[in-house]
Amino acid sequence: MMCNSNLFRDECVNVSHTVTIVPRLEYSIELLNNIVAVLKKKKTELKKLNRNFLELDDSDCTYVKTLDFERTLVFSLEILSQIQKKMNSISGINSIPELLHFTIPLIRTVSAQLFSLLPTCSQNLSELSVHLGSIIFDSAVLTEARFDFSKSNIKSSSVLNEVKLMVDSKISKQYPNLDFSKACNT
């Protein structure tokens, strides 16, 4: 009888944890969507402002800060949209550790880059990383998933490098008359 009692208790604990994951995941998705909406709005505003630089001869380096800001926004949005896709493809508790294990370093990187530019977004991203970390951990405990943090770090580094290359190319094509390699003291 003791064994059945323990089995029942374990099953109740698992159901309890599973039930608490769903609202936290929904909140995390909503938080991420709100952050992305703010970044998209800011990017649109900045892109309009930066159109003025299309006409420059690039002898003046006043454009560097605003273009770097735009580059950071484009980079951030690309990373966060990849995370959104992963979060939207979750099909059950078993898929959470598998799909989201490498997202925490990505979110923290974006948060750090936005820290001085958009402090509220940075703070919201920090909150998101905490929520997702606990969701990933709880789902891994329930599903007995195992993590290899070195593989997670390799995966997140790979994603960051790919996105950086893509964003650099996109910004260079968007502003073909500007020399981004030129050192400007701003």
Side-chain angles (χ1 to χ4, degrees), residues 88-106:
N88 289 330
S89 67
I90 293 171
S91 59
I93 194 165
N94 290 331
S95 64
I96 292 173
E98 178 185 323
L99 291 171
L100 300 181
H101 66 93
F102 68 97
T103 60
I104 303 304
L106 297 176

Side-chain angles (χ1 to χ4, degrees), residues 33-97:
N33 290 342
N34 291 339
I35 294 165
V36 167
V38 168
L39 293 177
K40 282 182 178 178
K41 182 180 178 197
K42 196 62 153 171
K43 179 187 157 211
T44 301
E45 293 169 3
L46 200 56
K47 197 171 184 177
K48 286 178 185 175
L49 177 67
N50 286 344
R51 281 190 189 139
N52 298 330
F53 297 126
L54 291 173
E55 310 298 317
L56 289 179
D57 64 359
D58 94 340
S59 61
D60 181 7
C61 293
T62 58
Y63 60 86
V64 173
K65 280 187 180 179
T66 57
L67 291 179
D68 279 344
F69 188 14
E70 184 176 347
R71 182 189 319 257
T72 300
L73 288 176
V74 172
F75 175 83
S76 299
L77 283 166
E78 183 59 36
I79 293 290
L80 296 177
S81 74
Q82 288 188 23
I83 293 170
Q84 279 180 314
K85 288 176 190 170
K86 292 291 184 187
M87 290 176 74
N88 289 330
S89 67
I90 293 171
S91 59
I93 194 165
N94 290 331
S95 64
I96 292 173

Side-chain angles (χ1 to χ4, degrees), residues 134-153:
S134 71
I135 291 166
I136 293 165
F137 180 78
D138 289 350
S139 63
V141 167
L142 291 171
T143 62
E144 298 179 3
R146 297 182 189 265
F147 290 109
D148 182 343
F149 288 107
S150 64
K151 287 183 182 176
S152 291
N153 288 338

Side-chain angles (χ1 to χ4, degrees), residues 105-118:
L106 297 176
I107 292 169
R108 289 182 178 158
T109 299
V110 171
S111 176
Q113 289 191 346
L114 294 175
F115 182 75
S116 63
L117 301 170
L118 296 168

